[in-house]
């Protein structure tokens, strides 16, 4: 038994970034230093950028506890290194939150697709899959079917995000960092805690 409430935001991704950095340093300390100094695209950088985003969103989500909500971070899924970035539980339901950090990225989304810098992503499919896993786990372990809605939070690192909204997907909530935690506090009551 392990208390998930002890997990910190970005914990799993940060551990992977540290592991990748150690591997880079084992190959070449100077090479690792130069890659980080010039922000070269490496697996370590990708994990580090992701961890930074999860930590930033996690800190904002933790404010929900003042309003009676519950927030869990870095929830392991399956036997691999996958995890659910954050899980919000409040009067509006259960929200698996997936953080996507794309510094200076251009994001376009419609009902059926999300593009980042013109490249199609699997973000909608993955978010829906995570939400269904959470719903099934709640049903299996608690014996009740609770409202679960997947959430994607985009961090572009710009004051005015370059986001084009063609059409909002009806089953996935897409937010900017400034929408967090307000969007969860404003959610209509669909369950009691």
């Amino acid at each position: 038994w392990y208390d998930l409430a002890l997990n910190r935001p970005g914990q799993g991704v940060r551990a992977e970034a540290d592991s990748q950095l150690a591997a880079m340093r084992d190959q070449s300390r100077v090479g690792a230093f130069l890659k980080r100094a010039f922000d070269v695209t490496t697996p370590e950088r990708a994990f580090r950028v992701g961890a930074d985003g999860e930590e930033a969103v996690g800190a904002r989500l933790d404010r929900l506890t003042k309003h009676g909500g519950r927030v869990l971070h870095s929830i392991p899924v399956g036997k691999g290194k996958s995890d659910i970035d954050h899980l919000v539980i409040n009067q509006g339901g259960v929200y698996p939150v997936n953080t996507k950090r794309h510094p200076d990225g251009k994001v376009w989304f419609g009902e059926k697709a999300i593009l980042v810098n013109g490249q199609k992503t699997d973000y909608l499919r993955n978010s829906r899959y995570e939400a269904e896993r959470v719903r099934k786990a709640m049903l299996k372990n608690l014996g009740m079917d609770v409202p679960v809605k997947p959430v994607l939070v985009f961090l572009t690192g710009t004051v005015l995000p370059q986001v084009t909204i063609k059409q909002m997907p009806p089953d996935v909530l897409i937010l900017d960092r400034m929408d967090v935690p307000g969007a969860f506090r404003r959610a209509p009551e669909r369950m009691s805690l």
Side-chain angles (χ1 to χ4, degrees), residues 40-183:
V40 174
T41 301
T42 63
E44 181 272 337
R45 180 189 181 279
F47 286 113
R48 181 170 30 94
V49 166
D52 291 347
E54 287 185 33
E55 290 164 357
V57 170
R60 295 180 75 88
L61 288 172
D62 283 341
R63 297 179 195 167
L64 291 169
T65 59
K66 295 176 188 172
H67 303 279
R70 307 285 185 267
V71 182
L72 299 173
H73 306 285
S74 299
I75 302 166
V77 177
K79 296 181 180 179
K81 294 181 181 179
S82 294
D83 70 358
I84 293 173
D85 297 349
H86 316 280
L87 189 69
V88 173
I89 304 166
N90 73 356
Q91 82 286 348
V94 177
Y95 302 92
V97 179
N98 204 320
T99 303
K100 297 298 176 191
R101 185 165 182 247
H102 293 283
D104 300 317
K106 293 181 182 178
V107 180
W108 178 98
F109 61 86
E111 183 178 359
K112 297 182 181 178
I114 294 178
L115 300 155
V116 175
N117 297 325
Q119 300 295 313
K120 189 173 181 184
T121 69
D122 292 332
Y123 295 162
L124 287 175
R125 177 184 60 90
N126 293 348
S127 292
R128 290 172 177 135
Y129 178 73
E130 273 186 4
E132 186 57 21
R133 281 185 92 159
V134 167
R135 190 191 68 73
K136 286 180 180 176
M138 300 287 274
L139 184 60
K140 178 183 175 188
N141 294 305
L142 301 177
M144 53 192 227
D145 198 10
V146 298
V148 178
K149 184 162 191 160
V151 178
L152 283 163
V153 178
F154 282 93
L155 303 164
T156 60
T158 56
V159 175
L160 296 173
Q162 296 184 24
V163 176
T164 302
I165 304 168
K166 180 71 172 174
Q167 185 175 4
M168 188 68 81
D171 60 334
V172 178
L173 183 60
I174 298 178
L175 305 173
D176 177 75
R177 72 178 173 82
M178 297 307 291
D179 298 324
V180 177

Side-chain angles (χ1 to χ4, degrees), residues 13-23 25 36 44 47-48:
V13 182
R14 182 67 64 197
E16 188 58 33
D18 291 344
S19 173
Q20 292 287 329
L21 179 59
R25 286 181 175 154
R36 292 192 88 208
E44 181 272 337
F47 286 113
R48 181 170 30 94

